[in-house]
Amino acid sequence: SAVISQKPSRDICQRGTSLTIQCQVDSQVTMMFWYRQQPGQSLTLIATANQGSEATYESGFVIDKFPISRPNLTFSTLTVSNMSPEDSSIYLCSARSVAGRDTQYFGPGTRLTVL
Amino acid sequence: ELKVEQNPLFLSMQEGKNYTIYCNYSTTSDRLYWYRQDPGKSLESLFVLLSNGAVKQEGRLMASLDTKARLSTLHITAAVHDLSATYFCAVGFSPLVFGKGTRLSVIA
């Protein structure tokens, strides 16, 4: 299995600022993803983080707002830019491992509150 | 566009009773996942169903997949309080599309 860690675990930010969330996986993974989960709601995919190239964004999410990096097979970052209160949510990193490729694992999440 | 529907969305059940959660999806897929989420926690993988007719069991939970009907079920047998959580089904590969979740509460 893959163990995923995220930093920070939570943050409270001011409107108009940006926050970068880090995701580290303990083993090489084929695919990494970023999801958003609003309280009491389901998960919505923001984008697929591609190693060494631009992320693939889902409808409704754009690179200027959610820039993503993935410099290697085990690490990715998501930045939430120019934040507004509507960005308050839990952001989850997810990965599909090379060995157990049929299972998709999730990190503990980053709880973001924007004032 | 793949859509995933779960029902019920809320379920309150007594300890010792049986119940089934349903997951329907709109387009062909040969893989379906069930996850559990406790309040304030991340998602824990319960089952991965990879073929038509697949059935998997773990403790009091049993999941099945009918790809022809585009339906999966998560059956709970003799519920206990520890099973209280939100259960999500998810379909696809890349991306994985989630249902809205079923919030299960098991009461004495």
Side-chain angles (χ1 to χ4, degrees):
Chain A
S1 66
V3 177
I4 303 175
S5 59
Q6 286 183 233
K7 289 195 295 189
S9 59
R10 59 176 64 226
D11 208 340
I12 301 173
C13 301
Q14 295 296 321
R15 181 194 298 260
T17 62
S18 298
L19 176 72
T20 295
I21 303 167
Q22 298 180 4
C23 174
Q24 179 72 55
V25 190
D26 70 343
S27 56
Q28 289 191 343
V29 292
T30 54
M31 306 180 83
M32 294 183 74
F33 310 90
W34 288 97
Y35 286 82
R36 183 169 72 182
Q37 185 180 29
Q38 293 178 315
Q41 303 295 315
S42 186
L43 282 77
T44 301
L45 181 65
I46 298 171
T48 301
N50 300 310
Q51 189 208 350
S53 65
E54 194 171 286
T56 305
Y57 290 85
E58 296 299 306
S59 176
F61 298 96
V62 295
I63 187 171
D64 290 345
K65 176 68 176 176
F66 297 101
I68 287 170
S69 77
R70 188 182 171 189
N72 57 51
L73 287 175
T74 63
F75 184 79
S76 179
T77 66
L78 167 74
T79 299
V80 186
S81 303
N82 189 24
M83 288 184 284
S84 66
E86 292 70 36
D87 295 319
S88 297
S89 192
I90 299 170
Y91 292 85
L92 291 144
C93 176
S94 179
R96 198 183 291 272
S97 72
V98 172
R101 68 181 197 89
D102 292 318
T103 301
Q104 188 162 328
Y105 300 95
F106 286 82
T110 296
R111 186 179 295 267
L112 171 62
T113 302
V114 184
L115 303 178
Chain B
E1 182 188 347
L2 174 60
K3 293 190 186 303
V4 181
E5 289 190 3
Q6 278 182 246
N7 68 84
L9 298 182
F10 297 92
L11 176 56
S12 179
M13 55 189 299
Q14 285 188 311
E15 281 188 330
K17 298 291 189 184
N18 304 333
Y19 209 84
T20 300
I21 300 170
Y22 297 88
C23 176
N24 291 91
Y25 53 98
S26 61
T27 63
T28 302
S29 177
D30 61 357
R31 56 186 67 223
L32 187 140
Y33 304 79
W34 283 97
Y35 289 91
R36 169 181 172 145
Q37 187 176 39
D38 292 294
K41 305 289 186 183
S42 188
L43 279 78
E44 173 191 355
S45 178
L46 293 175
F47 301 109
V48 182
L49 303 170
L50 297 176
S51 61
N52 185 42
V55 177
K56 290 196 174 180
Q57 182 162 5
E58 180 75 31
R60 300 174 189 274
L61 301 177
M62 183 173 71
S64 66
L65 177 62
D66 181 342
T67 58
K68 292 185 172 58
R70 298 177 189 162
L71 171 68
S72 178
T73 60
L74 180 66
H75 187 73
I76 302 157
T77 302
V80 294
H81 179 72
D82 285 352
L83 290 179
S84 297
T86 299
Y87 294 85
F88 290 96
C89 66
V91 180
F93 183 74
S94 180
L96 203 54
V97 179
F98 281 78
K100 290 186 185 296
T102 297
R103 190 173 297 182
L104 171 65
S105 175
V106 181
I107 55 179

